[in-house]
Amino acid sequence: MVRTYDFGEADRIVVLLSREEGLIRAVAKGVRRAKSRFGSRLQPFVELDVQLYPGRNLALITQADTVAYFASGLIDDPRRFTSACAVLETAEALAQAHEEPALFDLAKRSLTQLREAEDPYAPLDTFLLQAMELAGWGMSLFECAQCSSKGPHHAFHAAAGGAVCVHCRPPGSRDVDPEVLHVMWLLANGADASQLNTPQRAAMVHQLTRSYLQWHLERKLKSLQVLEEV
Ligand SMILES: [Zn+2]
């Protein structure tokens, strides 16, 4: 479940991230009435088993059962909550661009990790890096993104594709500790980066990952903007 909109007097439109069919938009009739059988389950951060009746524009939800509930642990903590919103918004944006079955399980795993995370940016950044890999938006983190010369390199440019060498670095490139790029590579590939990661490096990973994602999405994600304020 990614998002809901109220519609008409008692209906709700929901956007679902599914494992098999990517994003599904569906309408749930009458669910805002008190007697609704499953209206209260149609919330973000709930994994649902739904029955859908295909429609012309929107599917119709005829039944929804809760499989897992992720909101506890997320909604009481502003940083976890905004990170979890960023996971869902990014999953929605990437699922629109690419149908990728593994995105569902990756998002689910990240929400589970976020519920207990002391530093919610760590699971968020891991999600963003791995989700971009899945979507074919992986960045170059060792070789130069422009000329493919072997790293480690000391500069990063989102629009250029990631790490850039001294010869290729475009104006506006950021100077980066190569170990930060190493940490990002480990996270993107599902490896343990805890040996190398320090709070300073993690903060830089967060900035670079966000700038790269934003450049790719060509629009700022609402929750990521909120994150800057938390
Ligand atoms: Zn180069």
Side-chain angles (χ1 to χ4, degrees):
M1 168 72 60
V2 179
R3 203 137 58 94
T4 68
Y5 314 85
D6 288 346
F7 180 70
E9 273 183 23
D11 302 344
R12 182 163 283 161
I13 291 179
V14 301
V15 181
L16 302 157
L17 176 68
S18 72
R19 186 182 277 120
E20 309 298 337
E21 294 174 47
L23 278 189
I24 297 171
R25 284 176 192 75
V27 62
K29 296 270 189 195
V31 291
R32 281 152 57 212
R33 296 202 177 97
K35 283 184 298 185
S36 166
R37 282 173 300 129
F38 55 82
S40 62
R41 295 170 204 156
L42 301 178
Q43 304 289 339
F45 310 123
V46 180
E47 182 182 0
L48 296 167
D49 183 6
V50 293
Q51 286 174 24
L52 297 168
Y53 185 80
R56 263 175 306 170
N57 300 311
L58 291 167
L60 180 70
I61 297 185
T62 55
Q63 182 61 39
D65 294 306
T66 305
V67 175
Y69 182 73
F70 296 96
S72 58
L74 294 177
I75 52 179
D76 306 326
D77 181 308
R79 293 173 75 231
R80 285 185 194 165
F81 178 72
T82 49
S83 298
C85 290
V87 165
L88 291 189
E89 282 189 26
T90 306
E92 182 182 358
L94 292 176
Q96 261 161 10
H98 300 262
E99 208 155 291
E100 174 49 65
L103 195 57
F104 178 92
D105 292 309
L106 182 60
K108 189 176 154 180
R109 191 162 70 237
S110 303
L111 292 182
T112 306
Q113 291 168 347
L114 275 170
R115 294 174 70 184
E116 303 185 341
E118 272 179 45
D119 171 15
Y121 289 173
L124 171 62
D125 293 333
T126 302
F127 170 80
L128 297 177
L129 287 163
Q130 294 185 4
M132 287 193 287
E133 287 283 334
L134 286 176
W137 293 357
M139 58 187 109
S140 192
L141 291 164
F142 180 69
E143 293 178 349
C144 171
Q146 300 283 286
C147 72
S148 302
S149 69
K150 289 235 182 332
H153 297 301
H154 297 257
F156 183 93
H157 194 278
V164 281
C165 73
V166 284
H167 306 293
C168 297
R169 59 178 290 164
S173 297
R174 297 198 52 166
D175 292 318
V176 180
D177 171 2
E179 291 300 338
V180 168
L181 301 177
H182 190 183
V183 168
M184 289 168 77
W185 186 89
L186 292 171
L187 295 177
N189 289 281
D192 179 11
S194 55
Q195 294 288 315
L196 275 177
N197 214 351
T198 61
Q200 289 82 359
R201 285 175 185 161
M204 194 67 177
V205 166
H206 186 62
Q207 283 181 29
L208 296 180
T209 303
R210 201 175 56 191
S211 71
Y212 186 82
L213 176 67
Q214 283 175 347
W215 184 83
H216 264 282
L217 290 176
E218 293 177 327
R219 66 184 172 93
K220 284 203 159 196
L221 288 173
K222 264 185 295 172
S223 341
L224 290 179
Q225 282 178 313
V226 173
L227 275 179
E228 290 168 18
E229 292 154 17
V230 171

